[in-house]
Amino acid sequence: MPGDHHVRKAYITSDKCIKCNLCIPTCPTDAIPKSLEIISNLCIGCGNCEAVCPPAVSAITYEHNSKELAKILPQCTAAGAESIELHAGVPDDNTTINEWRIVSECMPNGMISMCLDRYHLSNVHLIERIRLAKGIAGDRLIIQADGIPMSGGTDDFNTTLQAIGIADIINKELKVKDRWYGKLPILISGGTNSNTGNLARQCGVKFSGITIGTHARSIIKPYMGRIDYFKNTPVLKEAIGKANRLISRNITDTKL
Ligand code: SF4
Ligand code: SF4
């Protein structure tokens, strides 16, 4: 959906850019070369470059690569997709719920996940939207508690705090108060790292799973940059070992 970080590409407006180069080192995918022409295929829309671009300049803009769900989702399910996640980080309920209905109809027997953050939604609005989503998806609903989308580059407690906070709100305001939501699966996402599971357990925040994107990409990036990555078995095994350690740290209870 428009507004989703995952379907946007950053562009630098050259007549605004003052060539300070601040954005280059912030890009997690090396999509900004010295020429300052963003390599679109590498851009994952994370927004890091925009965050450091001087406000008086604001040279970074985005183009959204949104697709019509009704056209693209049947192709996905025909190709074997078993679950679908809709990033619903937009303020307007009608738009979101219309898209959600399409997702639900395209995946009548599979799990469907709505990914929500609090950028546009108050706690009350967030809970209301989950109720609307559940009314359509029933027991097929998964909620992704998206702290700050695509913010998990740093492996510390503060980075993962908001993701756990949003899961906490859903637990307290919905799962504990309304039995119909007691089994609603919550995946913690958006600002997740190797500390997420541990911090959530220490804070007494229940969750069904953790999805890790930006941080996982950052620890695997040095391996994936190698041209022999898929052919060099020791290198591949080392990368898989790092990924496995990331998972075990999240599912193993350790003291803070
Ligand atoms: S910092 Fe993020 S948004 Fe900017 S070019 Fe790199 S990947 Fe794209
Ligand atoms: S941070 Fe902004 S002004 Fe500086 S080089 Fe990047 S796009 Fe240009």
Side-chain angles (χ1 to χ4, degrees):
M1 295 177 68
D4 177 5
H5 287 37
H6 297 76
V7 293
R8 67 182 185 174
K9 300 284 182 185
Y11 289 89
I12 294 176
T13 309
S14 55
D15 52 358
K16 285 187 173 178
C17 175
I18 55 169
K19 302 190 174 20
C20 65
N21 290 351
L22 285 175
C23 52
I24 294 176
T26 68
C27 181
T29 59
D30 296 331
I32 313 179
K34 284 187 184 145
S35 66
L36 295 171
E37 276 185 39
I38 293 178
I39 305 163
S40 198
N41 283 350
L42 295 181
C43 176
I44 56 170
C46 68
N48 285 3
C49 52
E50 185 192 17
V52 295
C53 187
V57 177
S58 294
I60 309 271
T61 51
Y62 299 98
E63 224 172 65
H64 281 94
N65 179 23
S66 56
K67 302 255 192 283
E68 273 187 56
L69 291 180
K71 280 188 188 159
I72 201 167
L73 291 187
Q75 294 170 30
C76 296
T77 51
E82 294 173 341
S83 56
I84 293 176
E85 169 193 340
L86 180 74
H87 278 254
V90 292
D92 172 36
D93 278 330
N94 287 339
T95 310
T96 306
I97 295 305
N98 284 342
E99 299 284 50
W100 183 244
R101 265 202 196 92
I102 294 169
V103 171
S104 181
E105 283 161 12
C106 291
M107 183 63 73
N109 301 311
M111 299 301 286
I112 51 176
S113 169
M114 184 178 275
C115 189
L116 291 167
D117 62 67
R118 286 189 289 177
Y119 188 73
H120 295 292
L121 308 180
S122 67
N123 290 349
V124 173
H125 194 173
L126 173 84
I127 298 302
E128 185 52 35
R129 185 167 292 178
I130 296 174
R131 288 186 187 280
L132 291 171
K134 174 105 170 145
I136 292 169
D139 290 342
R140 294 178 299 123
L141 174 67
I142 296 173
I143 290 294
Q144 275 188 249
D146 208 4
I148 299 176
M150 305 177 96
S151 66
T154 310
D155 197 21
D156 60 15
F157 290 115
N158 187 270
T159 299
T160 201
L161 192 58
Q162 296 305 316
I164 294 166
I166 191 167
D168 187 43
I169 293 295
I170 298 169
N171 276 314
K172 282 181 179 150
E173 295 300 322
L174 200 56
K175 294 190 65 163
V176 170
K177 289 183 178 173
D178 189 335
R179 285 175 56 196
W180 200 46
Y181 293 87
K183 291 187 179 167
L184 175 69
I186 298 178
L187 301 184
I188 301 178
S189 61
T192 46
N193 55 32
S194 72
N195 297 294
T196 303
N198 208 12
L199 187 61
R201 282 185 291 274
Q202 294 289 319
C203 295
V205 176
K206 293 193 174 148
F207 59 94
S208 313
I210 299 169
T211 63
I212 307 177
T214 306
H215 177 64
R217 277 191 293 274
S218 73
I219 62 171
I220 299 304
K221 187 175 158 189
Y223 301 98
M224 295 203 67
R226 295 176 57 129
I227 43 171
D228 61 347
Y229 177 57
F230 285 108
K231 292 185 183 147
N232 187 329
T233 305
V235 168
L236 190 56
K237 277 188 174 166
E238 202 177 311
I240 291 170
K242 279 210 168 185
N244 275 334
R245 281 192 290 282
L246 177 61
I247 293 167
S248 29
R249 276 206 57 169
N250 270 297
I251 58 178
T252 308
D253 199 4
T254 50
K255 290 275 170 240
L256 292 181

